[in-house]
Amino acid sequence: MEPLLNSLVELGGNISSVHMNGKAPFINWGGYIGGECEIEGNISSQFITAILFTAPLAKKSTTVKIKGEILSLSYIRQTLEVLAIAGIKFKHNENFSKITVFPGKYSPAEYTITGDYTSCSYLVAVATLFPCDLTLKNINSKSLQGEQAILAFVKEMGVEVIRNDQKNEIRLINRKGLLTGNYEFNVSNCPNIVPTLASIGIYVNGCFRVTGGSITRLHKSPRIKAMVNELLKLGVNIQPLIINDVYDGFEIHGASSYSGNCKLSSWGDHRIFMSLFVASLRCQQTNYIDGYEDVHCSFPSFFKEFEQLGITFKEMIYQSESAY
């Protein structure tokens, strides 16, 4: 949390880490008045959006200068959209590296939260791995969520994507089932679907590359490293793509199926669990994955949705650990 703390101090805040290590617990004595701060764009968009949401309550304008590459820009765009709806004034340059928010008062407003594209991605993955005609409800193209890119990615792989914003639904038609070809996707604006893409890529007969995912090392688990390690257990030909000693993506040379019968770890991360769940669906034998309780973090109806697709699973007790 240190980058955020440093920025808040620049803006007049009197906040510090109790153990002086940039981590919780914190002491916050207030004092935020506005001004100007700098923050790196490749660590966490949540640091930037936190400042943007706080900025209208300051005594003077707040200018955030974002240094370097800006990852997860879609989250910054979504935040600014909400600020505008709530009556907050701001301005930014063309590439969003400089954003100024003016003092103001939040006004009540109606705001429709569209379906979550990251949760949607696991169902999209199933529609990509199996011949199907699947309709997903409560999801449309009006959202600014970067993870909407999952639809463009699978469309490139041969899935027919039919949007119907009037009915608020998307229809996915897969007439092939088998995936072939060489693909490369940059996920710098949609990092949450990195594990999902890995679960698809292992079944692509060809070269499947994902790049631009370095920010996921700071998520609930180091997600690229986690997926690479677990998929290697399945016998997947997967190699991490490392830039400056940081996991940035992966390259997979996939197969049509794997034997399975593996014990896989979710690394305590709900998205890793759900992606390994999807990756296991075309294995020849049952896999055992720990951490199923974590799906409640983001997708409480995950198992219900997959049951509707006819997928079977059960809770097991294995060496004092619960697993699906």
Side-chain angles (χ1 to χ4, degrees), residues 22-249:
K23 299 178 181 179
F26 308 112
I27 298 178
N28 186 353
W29 300 100
Y32 184 119
I33 60 173
E36 187 174 290
C37 70
E38 285 190 341
I39 193 164
E40 296 286 346
N42 64 351
I43 299 176
S44 174
S45 62
Q46 293 183 26
F47 294 165
I48 298 166
T49 58
I51 296 171
L52 296 179
F53 274 129
T54 305
L57 307 180
K59 293 180 180 179
K60 58 182 182 180
S61 300
T62 297
T63 296
V64 182
K65 291 184 176 180
I66 307 174
K67 299 186 296 182
E69 183 181 11
I70 304 176
L71 302 178
S72 302
L73 178 59
S74 62
Y75 302 119
I76 297 173
R77 289 178 180 271
Q78 290 175 74
T79 301
L80 293 176
E81 179 188 50
V82 174
L83 290 179
I85 291 173
I88 302 301
K89 304 296 183 182
F90 58 83
K91 65 179 181 179
H92 59 80
N93 61 2
E94 186 175 357
N95 67 354
F96 292 86
S97 62
K98 184 178 180 181
I99 305 171
T100 299
V101 181
F102 302 101
K105 181 179 179 181
Y106 279 101
S107 300
E110 289 189 3
Y111 185 83
T112 300
I113 301 175
T114 59
D116 177 43
Y117 269 97
T118 305
S119 296
C120 172
S121 74
Y122 308 111
L123 299 167
V124 173
V126 173
T128 307
L129 296 179
F130 297 93
C132 71
D133 187 338
L134 177 65
T135 297
L136 303 177
K137 298 182 179 296
N138 192 37
I139 197 85
N140 62 51
S141 63
K142 297 178 182 179
S143 172
L144 292 178
Q145 296 174 62
E147 280 70 23
Q148 188 172 173
I150 188 69
L151 296 177
F153 294 165
V154 300
K155 185 176 181 180
E156 185 175 335
M157 286 185 271
V159 177
E160 185 178 355
V161 178
I162 303 173
R163 297 177 181 269
N164 189 331
D165 285 346
Q166 286 186 326
K167 289 186 176 181
N168 203 30
E169 63 185 33
I170 295 171
R171 184 180 176 192
L172 303 167
I173 302 174
N174 182 354
R175 294 186 172 89
K176 299 192 308 180
L178 295 177
L179 297 171
T180 60
N182 299 319
Y183 305 98
E184 181 165 346
F185 302 117
N186 184 283
V187 294
S188 58
N189 198 38
C190 50
N192 276 341
I193 59 174
V194 167
T196 315
L197 289 172
S199 71
I200 297 173
I202 67 173
Y203 294 109
V204 174
N205 183 10
C207 180
F208 187 93
R209 288 171 57 92
V210 169
T211 61
S214 61
I215 201 169
T216 61
R217 74 192 187 280
L218 302 171
H219 287 179
K220 195 165 185 180
S221 71
R223 287 179 172 163
I224 295 174
K225 183 178 181 179
M227 289 301 293
V228 169
N229 282 19
E230 298 310 306
L231 294 176
L232 283 172
K233 295 177 184 178
L234 285 177
V236 176
N237 182 357
I238 180 172
Q239 296 292 331
L241 301 177
I242 299 176
I243 299 178
N244 298 325
D245 297 324
V246 172
Y247 281 74
D248 185 71

Side-chain angles (χ1 to χ4, degrees), residues 280-292:
S280 298
L281 295 179
R282 274 174 57 172
C283 288
Q284 298 162 23
Q285 301 177 73
T286 301
N287 288 326
Y288 303 87
I289 315 169
D290 68 20
Y292 71 91

